[in-house]
Structures are given as structure tokens and as C-alpha cells.
Amino acid sequence: MGDNSVSSEDPPELQDVLDALDDPACRTILRETIEPMTANELLDACDIPKSTLYRKLELLSSASLVREQETINPGGGRVTYYERSFEDVTISMDDTGTFSVNVDRPPQSTDERLADIWSMMGDEV
């Protein structure tokens, strides 16, 4: 999933955001991901099938509404956490009738920026 996610600096596509917000399972995931959660924690919290969860996380990631962070598990391997990556979503229409979407994001800490860099490096390997 990590290689298909949109960078937090890239503006998401309007249709991707609308599709994600229109989906009840995606909205449930967004409510749960205020704090980082693993897929297994989300499965328990959201009560949706595993295959559905990963499809919805992909949709939310494409809309840049959820970010994933990989950490090193002390026992070996990696653990992926999912977290809501926005504070506010605004959809507007200009004078020409063109719709646009603006996603306001919280500032990232140094640790979060380093975790993102680490995750991107892992995607390249």
C-alpha cells in the first residue's frame, strides 16, 4: 500500500476525497484513526472484514486522508500504523463553477518527518 499513497504535500484529487468521504466504512476508519492504529486494531475497532479494511485504507490513502507509518518491531520486522492525516477538509466552488478541495493538515513533528522518510526508504528497497 505504501507505494500508492499520495505525498502529504500533493493536493488530493477532488473525486478521490469525495469517494472516500461517501463511503461509510471509510468514515468509520477515519473516526478511529485519531491516534495511530495497526490494521489488526482497526479490524477490531471497525468490525469490517480484513480485505475490506485494506481496500478502504487504500482509498483513504489515495485521497491523502490517512497516512501510514512503519516502525521497527523490537521483536523483528516492521509494524505499520495508520493515522488520520488531516484536521479539516474543505470543498469549494469558484466563480467559474470549478470545484476544488483543500485538506488542512496538522504540522508534523521531527519524529514524524523522520518516520515518513524511513517509510519511503523502505518502499524503495
Side-chain angles (χ1 to χ4, degrees):
M1 199 178 112
D3 55 356
N4 293 332
S5 58
V6 178
S7 166
S8 61
E9 283 97 38
D10 295 336
E13 294 292 324
L14 173 65
Q15 193 59 53
D16 289 343
V17 173
L18 292 174
D19 290 345
L21 294 177
D22 187 44
D23 188 291
C26 286
R27 291 193 306 269
T28 299
I29 293 168
L30 288 173
R31 282 193 229 30
E32 295 295 333
T33 53
I34 293 170
E35 295 294 325
M37 297 180 78
T38 66
N40 285 335
E41 291 169 335
L42 283 168
L43 285 170
D44 291 340
C46 298
D47 194 33
I48 58 177
K50 189 175 192 174
S51 61
T52 300
L53 175 71
Y54 283 107
R55 282 196 317 272
K56 301 309 177 180
L57 285 169
E58 182 67 37
L59 180 60
L60 289 163
S61 181
S62 295
S64 68
L65 299 177
V66 166
R67 66 192 283 270
E68 60 181 81
Q69 291 181 317
E70 287 187 352
T71 60
I72 302 297
N73 185 349
R78 296 182 188 185
V79 177
T80 303
Y81 289 91
Y82 301 92
E83 182 178 26
R84 190 172 64 197
S85 65
F86 67 94
E87 291 179 342
D88 192 35
V89 174
T90 306
I91 297 171
S92 57
M93 184 173 66
D94 66 16
D95 294 339
T96 66
T98 302
F99 286 94
S100 63
V101 62
N102 182 48
V103 179
D104 294 329
R105 303 188 188 289
Q108 282 188 309
S109 70
T110 302
D111 288 344
E112 289 171 324
R113 288 192 304 272
L114 286 172
D116 283 348
I117 292 168
W118 176 256
S119 181
M120 286 187 284
M121 288 174 53
D123 290 343
E124 298 296 320
V125 174

